[in-house]
Amino acid sequence: FGLSKSQVEEQKKAFDALDLDGNGKITFQEVKEMNTTLGSPMSDKELNEQFVSLDVDHNDIVTFAEFLKVFVKGEFGRDVLLPNVDETAQVSDLIEPQRPRLSSRLDPIDESKMVMKLSQEKSASYYLRVAKQMLTGAQDKAAYDLLELNALGYAIPLATAVAAALEEEKLAQVQSIRTDLREVPRTSRHCPIVIICLSKTTGS
């Protein structure tokens, strides 16, 4: 790509801000969810045009290599080929290790904990129903002792409402609440994030 280590790291931070589940790929839904946190969000048409410009191979996901290709074209006017697997690994080697990303998947270290991401796509009652199933178990699914509620921007009230309802029904107790700001890529704005950790109450 002809970029310095610092340039690659800067673009990786912007990529990671959009890659909400931390799986190394950006979907349109993730871009749309981040868009809702902006003070002046783009229209669906504008958002789709932006995503299509990033999705170089038109497979409905954006990889970091595609992200870099579009950056190089826009910043320096150079066309570069998408790298093969080995070249992608070389680019990844330039990136400093980062702290673990928020994920809606099972924590591979603590199998008694589930991390649940909340967005404006669903209602508080929906997330409360899912949280109850996670804590009490459902059909062939085991119950979890610990539950983390993660929410960005306008979804934060949903997380607090779910946590309050779980405490009121004596299904779980809040252990900690952490807040932070996540930088919105290519802007000077930041998006608030909250992480609420709950533990299942005895007998629930």
Side-chain angles (χ1 to χ4, degrees):
F1 288 97
L3 298 174
S4 67
K5 180 179 179 180
S6 62
Q7 287 173 320
V8 173
E9 289 176 342
E10 181 181 353
Q11 293 309 305
K12 187 63 167 62
K13 289 179 181 178
F15 180 88
D16 286 345
L18 291 170
D19 179 20
L20 299 181
D21 63 5
N23 69 348
K25 301 172 184 177
I26 297 172
T27 64
F28 181 73
Q29 182 60 40
E30 287 176 312
V31 174
K32 188 175 181 180
E33 186 170 326
M34 177 61 77
N35 184 57
T36 62
T37 67
L38 303 179
S40 300
M42 293 185 288
S43 66
D44 286 347
K45 180 180 179 182
E46 293 172 324
L47 203 63
N48 186 64
E49 290 174 351
Q50 289 286 334
F51 186 81
V52 169
S53 69
L54 290 170
D55 185 16
V56 178
D57 58 6
H58 308 297
N59 66 345
D60 297 326
I61 58 172
V62 176
T63 63
F64 184 49
E66 289 176 301
F67 196 82
L68 282 181
K69 175 181 173 67
V70 174
F71 168 73
V72 170
K73 176 64 175 178
E75 189 73 12
F76 306 105
R78 292 189 284 109
D79 280 315
V80 293
L81 296 175
L82 286 176
N84 57 34
V85 175
D86 291 337
E87 290 170 329
T88 300
Q90 290 172 12
V91 170
S92 299
D93 288 341
L94 292 174
I95 303 166
E96 295 291 342
Q98 298 182 349
R99 62 184 179 181
R101 298 295 309 284
L102 300 178
S103 173
S104 59
R105 295 168 295 180
L106 182 66
D107 191 323
I109 298 175
D110 186 352
E111 294 189 355
S112 67
K113 179 176 69 176
M114 173 60 78
V115 179
M116 187 170 73
K117 293 194 312 175
L118 290 77
S119 73
Q120 290 181 288
E121 297 295 318
K122 304 289 186 180
S123 65
S125 59
Y126 168 82
Y127 287 118
L128 178 59
R129 186 169 66 252
V130 173
K132 288 179 179 179
Q133 291 177 351
M134 290 179 177
L135 291 168
T136 61
Q139 296 178 350
D140 60 340
K141 295 182 180 179
Y144 296 95
D145 296 326
L146 300 172
L147 177 65
E148 281 191 7
L149 305 178
N150 298 335
L152 284 167
Y154 297 128
I156 289 176
L158 294 176
T160 57
V162 170
L166 290 173
E167 279 203 318
E168 184 177 352
E169 296 184 29
K170 301 188 184 325
L171 290 174
Q173 184 174 6
V174 174
Q175 298 298 312
S176 66
I177 300 177
R178 305 198 310 272
T179 59
D180 201 353
L181 289 175
R182 175 176 289 179
E183 183 179 355
V184 179
R186 304 178 190 280
T187 74
S188 59
R189 295 189 290 264
H190 290 74
C191 176
I193 182 173
V194 67
I195 303 172
I196 304 176
C197 301
L198 303 104
S199 61
K200 183 171 65 173
T201 56
T202 304
S204 62

